Amino acid sequence: MFDTAESDPRLTKEQARPLEAKLRAALLKAQYARLKKAQRSLLIVVAGIDGAGKGASVSLLNEWMDARHIRTMAFGAPTAEEKDHPFLWRYWRQLPAGGKIGIVFGSWYQPLFQEAARKRPDQAAIQAHAQDIRHFENLLSNDGVQIIKLWYHLSQDAQRARIDQLLSDPRTAWQVRPEEIKARKKFSRLRDAGALGISLTHSDHAPWQVIPSADEQMRSIATGQAVLAALRRAAHKPVADLPDSGAMEASGQALRAAEIKAALRGAAQRKAVRLEDLDYRATLSDKEYEEQLAMWQGRLAELARSKKFSRLPLILVFEGNDAAGKGGAIRRITHALDARQFHAIPISAPSPEESAHPYLWRFWRDLPRPGNVAIYDRSWYGRVLVERVENYAKAAEWQRAYAEINQFEAQLRGSGALVVKFWLAITKEEQLKRFREREASPFKSFKITADDWRNRKKWDAYQLAANDMFARSDTADCPWLVLPANDKQHARVAVLEHIVQAVEKAL
Amino acid sequence: MFDTAESDPRLTKEQARPLEAKLRAALLKAQYARLKKAQRSLLIVVAGIDGAGKGASVSLLNEWMDARHIRTMAFGAPTAEEKDHPFLWRYWRQLPAGGKIGIVFGSWYQPLFQEAARKRPDQAAIQAHAQDIRHFENLLSNDGVQIIKLWYHLSQDAQRARIDQLLSDPRTAWQVRPEEIKARKKFSRLRDAGALGISLTHSDHAPWQVIPSADEQMRSIATGQAVLAALRRAAHKPVADLPDSGAMEASGQALRAAEIKAALRGAAQRKAVRLEDLDYRATLSDKEYEEQLAMWQGRLAELARSKKFSRLPLILVFEGNDAAGKGGAIRRITHALDARQFHAIPISAPSPEESAHPYLWRFWRDLPRPGNVAIYDRSWYGRVLVERVENYAKAAEWQRAYAEINQFEAQLRGSGALVVKFWLAITKEEQLKRFREREASPFKSFKITADDWRNRKKWDAYQLAANDMFARSDTADCPWLVLPANDKQHARVAVLEHIVQAVEKAL
């Protein structure tokens, strides 16, 4: 893998100059044509052997292309806030929008390469890191983010010579970081870690490219050429990530298919709820309601103010038929919480900024810190509900979303968060009654629009989508609670009770 | 101020019901008509005596209006990240966009009320807090944010009765926070603190409204009415904040005028630079350049890696003529920095999301933490340069921007940041030469557009705007460094040298 790079190939200035002139013009052209018009973004991951000139190469790309559309994202040790969130959170937050280029230093590969470079690496941890990375990069490339990963490499002799030369001049010695002096001693371990990490995470849609780095001209030209090839690469054609998709396995993506199957397995083994099997008859009298509401609110309030709770990020997801009473149920919850600890997030059509990013991006932004509660009034499940039924998402997009969502929720769980998902279900007759009541009320009529009546005509399609969603995303860790809600009071109490029990179990 | 509220007025349910029905319909209508159409936002600041039912009132507003366009922003003790930024940072970041309503708990009034409620309050600190608040609210209301501030109040007897009643029932006892039990004992001190804070910060465009809170019906109706009045209030007509504006003083805004004068005073007392007085002849030979560049980059690199520097947020601002070499100078700086510690921010026309917020909003977002460097390639000064010359901003807007910018930078300085501002100046002939060179280069032609040629025709207007800017925003703490840049090498070295010296002085 590194043979060419470790032969330390060189270019003379005379050789490099005409190549550079052509490259720069082509890079600019490609940056505008492919990115600005097509609104696709490009992520350039920068990694490699220490002392190979990664920083200088990033400066170069900023100089050769239009730097106004490039954002360099460099990550060191995570901040306290970043530690309070899933590992990928800080990378999600800074994803470039369509048309932009992001250059990533200190990327999501850090834990993988660190583990692989240990004296006695934990092979299971390495495989797990690699799998997380593959999921993440698959998801991004499916959603229109192009990825190119550059590994800067040179021979051990060249590395030593380069560092010694920099250190010998006080005006350049600062360019050598203390880590690099250390790294010289572990060249072969870092090299092997790189080779392993690359082999586990190389793919057609997110390829690695080794950049020979002993010689500045060679490094510059190779960097420019790799980025140019990425910019010119045709858009990745995602396949539907269904577990039974023979086409995908036939196309040699067996590994990916196996992982997607695993992500869906939890769901498949559980008995899926179906809306038509629900019993809508349960009710609560006013007196029962007032008593039980006060009781469960009291218990939730106590829990939410407990010491243990301050370590739990809580995520509540509300989906359901139009007019099923999501807003009312949410207000009964927030009433029991301190205003400083919750954030209610209504989800509607994405803004232009949100549309310019992968579809999960906007949900990553508002994730709660430990001790806080994020309440989603509609959620990422819109992808497999409204976007599916209304054809806002292509079939391939919503079909692979089940696995993406399961992976997303697994990451939330993995970081210590509790995710509780509700579907409030009402019958078609009850919905009609509520629509009519809303229309007749001077201060509820805003809640009912032509859209609601249009959606109602697609009742069966929405029910089918909901049933599919339960079947595919009702995992052991993040199960769906499907609640009959024809009686609002009964549903509100059931929601509170379920939250209290889930939190008590999680603490 | 509190006589009515402390008489604990009440409404029976029979009196409240018809009022409520009308109010809810009117609130919804006003929310849509005034906010959604006009794209103006509303901030509702919630404060008052503990145990007066503030939380319940916020729930109520969420229920009575369309909660999808309301964001409740509740602030407790600042996080580590918030402490690393100016005090107002967390409020700026969460400002509602046009069309939205923000309800603020734990607002920018916290330090004022806390100080005023001490046994021996520091009067100077109180005045300083009040002045900061007035500046902030003036700026927001000038930029289309409406503000209403609600003070929830009741008599001491009613407060005691309400808290005792909640405590007597285990199902409601959790609604009483420990602070509230304590606060009962300091009723009169908190009351007087409220009265003082209100009197110092009440204004026509950001009025306080006292809400009688002993009785739930009365509190609800009064809350709704106050918000309705705010929604219906005509847009605030800002006046030009020029220090010599006689009209403003005549209109009774003497206090504001005095503060604005003070903000501009620092600048007025300094001898302003004028572009026509610059000497453009300085040059550096290639050899001098290489030596001095390496020397200053080395010193900057060393400084930026020092322990002391890890406590300094550094903000570099680059303005100048088109083609003056801002990008090249910035790259010479970033070359000396660790990629993880700087963020280069190119500023161009605002996005739709940015336009929906007050104009300083987008600059607050990217402020650096201690030990980090934010480099603005163009900046908030666009308001008094391109927006002035091209008539993107109204005269009143760019005229008051000088004071707003000085206050903004004073807040940055006050939080410990160092702000270094550069103007790179070239002559009209040199610009023409560079434009032609850029057009002829296959990889620089993207840097020159029809806009640049259009701007060039307005050369004199831009020079006038720049001179005015130096005169009004060259403060002792954040001075302008106006650098002749006809010789790029000379300018780059001068920039680096100045940064090193400014940082050394600040550490």
Side-chain angles (χ1 to χ4, degrees), chain B residues 174-380:
Chain B
W174 58 267
Q175 293 183 35
V176 183
R177 294 189 307 181
E179 306 92 277
E180 293 176 330
I181 299 177
K182 257 199 218 160
R184 277 199 301 185
K185 296 185 188 147
K186 311 191 274 185
F187 183 89
S188 65
R189 239 155 70 199
L190 294 172
R191 174 188 189 283
D192 294 347
L196 176 62
I198 289 173
S199 70
L200 287 173
T201 58
H202 181 79
S203 67
D204 286 348
H205 55 276
W208 279 100
Q209 177 82 39
V210 177
I211 307 291
S213 308
D215 172 71
E216 190 184 332
Q217 275 90 28
M218 176 57 89
R219 188 185 67 214
S220 303
I221 299 293
T223 298
Q225 285 175 338
V227 171
L228 181 61
L231 285 167
R232 286 180 170 169
R233 208 161 70 209
H236 167 59
K237 284 221 183 62
V239 287
D241 284 353
L242 286 175
D244 49 355
S245 159
M248 185 171 53
E249 305 206 29
S251 74
Q253 303 201 24
L255 179 67
R256 254 174 93 208
E259 287 176 3
I260 290 155
K261 270 189 190 168
L264 289 169
R265 195 171 304 138
Q269 284 170 350
R270 295 163 58 90
K271 193 185 169 299
V273 192
R274 294 165 58 85
L275 290 173
E276 49 274 37
D277 301 335
L278 289 182
D279 180 351
Y280 292 89
R281 288 169 302 181
T283 58
L284 277 186
S285 71
D286 288 358
K287 189 164 166 289
E288 288 170 318
Y289 172 62
E290 274 177 31
E291 278 182 14
Q292 293 191 28
L293 183 72
M295 199 242 318
W296 288 113
Q297 281 183 333
R299 283 184 62 180
L300 177 59
E302 211 176 311
L303 264 179
R305 285 157 181 81
S306 69
K307 186 126 194 183
K308 271 186 190 169
F309 189 82
S310 69
R311 291 191 292 272
L312 182 76
L314 175 60
I315 298 167
L316 306 177
V317 174
F318 284 85
E319 295 282 355
N321 306 99
D322 289 330
K326 294 185 291 294
I330 290 171
R331 273 198 304 279
R332 273 32 177 219
I333 298 164
T334 59
H335 183 55
L337 301 174
D338 185 314
R340 289 167 299 192
Q341 75 179 156
F342 75 85
H343 182 195
I345 305 149
I347 298 297
S348 50
S351 71
E353 198 198 357
E354 290 165 348
S355 296
H357 286 91
Y359 94 98
L360 280 175
W361 178 74
R362 59 174 170 154
F363 304 107
W364 277 92
R365 276 186 312 185
D366 291 313
L367 294 180
R369 300 183 73 155
N372 283 276
V373 188
I375 309 175
Y376 289 89
D377 183 349
R378 304 202 186 277
S379 70
W380 42 92

Side-chain angles (χ1 to χ4, degrees), chain A residues 20-21 24-25 28 32 56 59 62-77 79-81 93 105 110 170-171 174-175 177 179 290-291 294-295 297-299 301-302 305 331-332 334-344 346 352-353 365-366 369 377 442-447, chain B residues 20-21 24-25 28 32 56 59 62-77 79-81 93 105 110 170-171 174-175 177 179 290-291 294-295 297-299 301-302 305 331-332 334-344 346 352-353 365-366 369 377 442-447:
Chain A
E20 179 185 323
R24 290 180 68 167
L28 274 168
Y32 285 112
S59 292
N62 272 289
E63 191 174 344
W64 282 6
M65 291 193 281
D66 186 343
R68 289 169 301 181
H69 306 292
I70 298 178
R71 175 162 184 162
T72 304
M73 304 175 286
F75 299 93
T79 65
E81 196 183 4
R93 287 215 304 174
F105 260 139
Q110 278 181 112
R171 290 175 311 177
W174 57 266
Q175 292 183 35
R177 293 188 308 183
E179 305 92 276
E290 274 177 31
E291 278 183 12
M295 200 244 315
Q297 282 183 332
R299 283 185 60 180
E302 212 176 311
R305 285 157 181 81
R331 274 197 304 279
R332 273 34 177 218
T334 58
H335 183 56
L337 301 174
D338 186 313
R340 288 167 300 191
Q341 75 178 157
F342 76 85
H343 182 194
E353 198 198 358
R365 276 186 313 184
D366 290 314
R369 300 183 72 154
D377 184 350
F443 43 83
K444 282 194 176 164
S445 56
F446 78 91
K447 287 187 173 178
Chain B
E20 179 185 322
R24 291 181 68 168
L28 274 168
Y32 286 112
S59 292
N62 272 290
E63 191 175 343
W64 283 6
M65 291 193 282
D66 186 343
R68 289 169 301 183
H69 306 290
I70 298 178
R71 176 162 184 162
T72 303
M73 304 175 284
F75 299 92
T79 66
E81 196 183 5
R93 289 215 304 172
F105 259 140
Q110 278 181 112
R171 290 175 311 178
W174 58 267
Q175 293 183 35
R177 294 189 307 181
E179 306 92 277
E290 274 177 31
E291 278 182 14
M295 199 242 318
Q297 281 183 333
R299 283 184 62 180
E302 211 176 311
R305 285 157 181 81
R331 273 198 304 279
R332 273 32 177 219
T334 59
H335 183 55
L337 301 174
D338 185 314
R340 289 167 299 192
Q341 75 179 156
F342 75 85
H343 182 195
E353 198 198 357
R365 276 186 312 185
D366 291 313
R369 300 183 73 155
D377 183 349
F443 42 84
K444 283 195 176 163
S445 56
F446 79 90
K447 287 187 174 177

